[in-house]
mmCIF file of all heavy atoms in Angstrom:
data_model
loop_
_atom_site.group_PDB
_atom_site.id
_atom_site.type_symbol
_atom_site.label_atom_id
_atom_site.label_comp_id
_atom_site.label_asym_id
_atom_site.label_seq_id
_atom_site.Cartn_x
_atom_site.Cartn_y
_atom_site.Cartn_z
ATOM 1 N N ALA A 324 89.105 94.427 103.993
ATOM 2 C CA ALA A 324 89.054 95.550 103.132
ATOM 3 C C ALA A 324 90.345 96.336 102.999
ATOM 4 O O ALA A 324 90.358 97.098 101.865
ATOM 5 C CB ALA A 324 87.912 96.574 103.566
ATOM 6 N N GLY A 325 91.375 96.114 103.755
ATOM 7 C CA GLY A 325 92.602 96.729 103.508
ATOM 8 C C GLY A 325 92.667 98.056 104.417
ATOM 9 O O GLY A 325 91.668 98.647 104.565
ATOM 10 N N PHE A 326 93.847 98.396 104.668
ATOM 11 C CA PHE A 326 94.004 99.747 105.389
ATOM 12 C C PHE A 326 93.700 100.859 104.499
ATOM 13 O O PHE A 326 94.196 100.946 103.385
ATOM 14 C CB PHE A 326 95.522 99.790 105.826
ATOM 15 C CG PHE A 326 95.766 101.018 106.625
ATOM 16 C CD1 PHE A 326 95.699 101.026 108.030
ATOM 17 C CD2 PHE A 326 96.067 102.218 106.059
ATOM 18 C CE1 PHE A 326 95.968 102.108 108.753
ATOM 19 C CE2 PHE A 326 96.302 103.246 106.855
ATOM 20 C CZ PHE A 326 96.216 103.319 108.219
ATOM 21 N N ALA A 327 92.637 101.607 104.888
ATOM 22 C CA ALA A 327 92.075 102.758 104.041
ATOM 23 C C ALA A 327 91.728 102.267 102.710
ATOM 24 O O ALA A 327 92.050 102.978 101.704
ATOM 25 C CB ALA A 327 93.198 103.791 103.969
ATOM 26 N N GLY A 328 91.164 101.090 102.598
ATOM 27 C CA GLY A 328 90.731 100.547 101.297
ATOM 28 C C GLY A 328 91.722 100.045 100.406
ATOM 29 O O GLY A 328 91.500 99.960 99.192
ATOM 30 N N SER A 329 92.956 99.858 100.964
ATOM 31 C CA SER A 329 94.035 99.295 100.161
ATOM 32 C C SER A 329 94.074 97.912 100.006
ATOM 33 O O SER A 329 94.401 97.113 100.939
ATOM 34 C CB SER A 329 95.355 99.831 100.714
ATOM 35 O OG SER A 329 95.373 101.212 100.916
ATOM 36 N N ARG A 330 93.748 97.407 98.856
ATOM 37 C CA ARG A 330 93.695 95.942 98.589
ATOM 38 C C ARG A 330 94.546 95.522 97.360
ATOM 39 O O ARG A 330 94.759 96.367 96.546
ATOM 40 C CB ARG A 330 92.174 95.500 98.276
ATOM 41 C CG ARG A 330 91.211 95.975 99.491
ATOM 42 C CD ARG A 330 89.893 95.517 99.190
ATOM 43 N NE ARG A 330 89.672 94.000 99.279
ATOM 44 C CZ ARG A 330 88.464 93.524 99.143
ATOM 45 N NH1 ARG A 330 87.373 94.197 98.943
ATOM 46 N NH2 ARG A 330 88.298 92.193 99.239
ATOM 47 N N PRO A 331 94.957 94.334 97.311
ATOM 48 C CA PRO A 331 94.653 93.151 98.116
ATOM 49 C C PRO A 331 95.447 93.228 99.453
ATOM 50 O O PRO A 331 96.530 93.778 99.501
ATOM 51 C CB PRO A 331 94.956 91.945 97.298
ATOM 52 C CG PRO A 331 96.220 92.456 96.568
ATOM 53 C CD PRO A 331 95.901 93.828 96.219
ATOM 54 N N VAL A 332 94.941 92.456 100.514
ATOM 55 C CA VAL A 332 95.751 92.154 101.593
ATOM 56 C C VAL A 332 96.432 90.910 101.450
ATOM 57 O O VAL A 332 95.721 89.876 101.176
ATOM 58 C CB VAL A 332 94.776 92.097 102.919
ATOM 59 C CG1 VAL A 332 95.488 91.609 104.054
ATOM 60 C CG2 VAL A 332 94.161 93.505 103.298
ATOM 61 N N ARG A 333 97.673 90.921 101.627
ATOM 62 C CA ARG A 333 98.489 89.640 101.230
ATOM 63 C C ARG A 333 99.170 89.023 102.459
ATOM 64 O O ARG A 333 99.530 89.764 103.427
ATOM 65 C CB ARG A 333 99.667 90.104 100.301
ATOM 66 C CG ARG A 333 99.104 90.508 98.898
ATOM 67 C CD ARG A 333 100.294 90.742 97.990
ATOM 68 N NE ARG A 333 99.915 91.076 96.791
ATOM 69 C CZ ARG A 333 99.818 92.337 96.128
ATOM 70 N NH1 ARG A 333 100.004 93.422 96.872
ATOM 71 N NH2 ARG A 333 99.399 92.491 94.918
ATOM 72 N N ILE A 334 99.265 87.756 102.634
ATOM 73 C CA ILE A 334 100.163 87.135 103.531
ATOM 74 C C ILE A 334 101.078 86.215 102.789
ATOM 75 O O ILE A 334 100.735 85.680 101.773
ATOM 76 C CB ILE A 334 99.282 86.339 104.472
ATOM 77 C CG1 ILE A 334 98.485 85.240 103.934
ATOM 78 C CG2 ILE A 334 98.486 87.301 105.426
ATOM 79 C CD1 ILE A 334 97.815 84.257 104.978
ATOM 80 N N GLY A 335 102.281 85.969 103.295
ATOM 81 C CA GLY A 335 103.261 85.356 102.581
ATOM 82 C C GLY A 335 103.870 86.353 101.734
ATOM 83 O O GLY A 335 103.439 87.473 101.439
ATOM 84 N N ASN A 336 105.066 86.028 100.922
ATOM 85 C CA ASN A 336 105.704 86.955 100.171
ATOM 86 C C ASN A 336 106.446 86.170 98.985
ATOM 87 O O ASN A 336 107.449 85.483 99.277
ATOM 88 C CB ASN A 336 106.775 87.772 100.949
ATOM 89 C CG ASN A 336 107.144 89.089 100.270
ATOM 90 O OD1 ASN A 336 107.499 88.981 99.017
ATOM 91 N ND2 ASN A 336 107.072 90.195 100.926
ATOM 92 N N ALA A 337 105.918 86.441 97.826
ATOM 93 C CA ALA A 337 106.424 85.700 96.689
ATOM 94 C C ALA A 337 107.945 86.170 96.302
ATOM 95 O O ALA A 337 108.557 85.345 95.423
ATOM 96 C CB ALA A 337 105.484 85.870 95.469
ATOM 97 N N ALA A 338 108.311 87.265 96.826
ATOM 98 C CA ALA A 338 109.705 87.728 96.482
ATOM 99 C C ALA A 338 110.774 86.759 97.019
ATOM 100 O O ALA A 338 111.907 86.768 96.704
ATOM 101 C CB ALA A 338 109.900 89.072 97.047
ATOM 102 N N VAL A 339 110.278 85.817 97.911
ATOM 103 C CA VAL A 339 111.180 84.853 98.431
ATOM 104 C C VAL A 339 111.891 84.025 97.438
ATOM 105 O O VAL A 339 112.974 83.499 97.525
ATOM 106 C CB VAL A 339 110.468 83.875 99.436
ATOM 107 C CG1 VAL A 339 109.451 82.956 98.767
ATOM 108 C CG2 VAL A 339 111.488 83.119 100.373
#
Side-chain angles (χ1 to χ4, degrees):
F326 185 93
S329 307
R330 304 178 71 177
V332 171
R333 296 181 173 94
I334 60 171
N336 200 310
V339 70

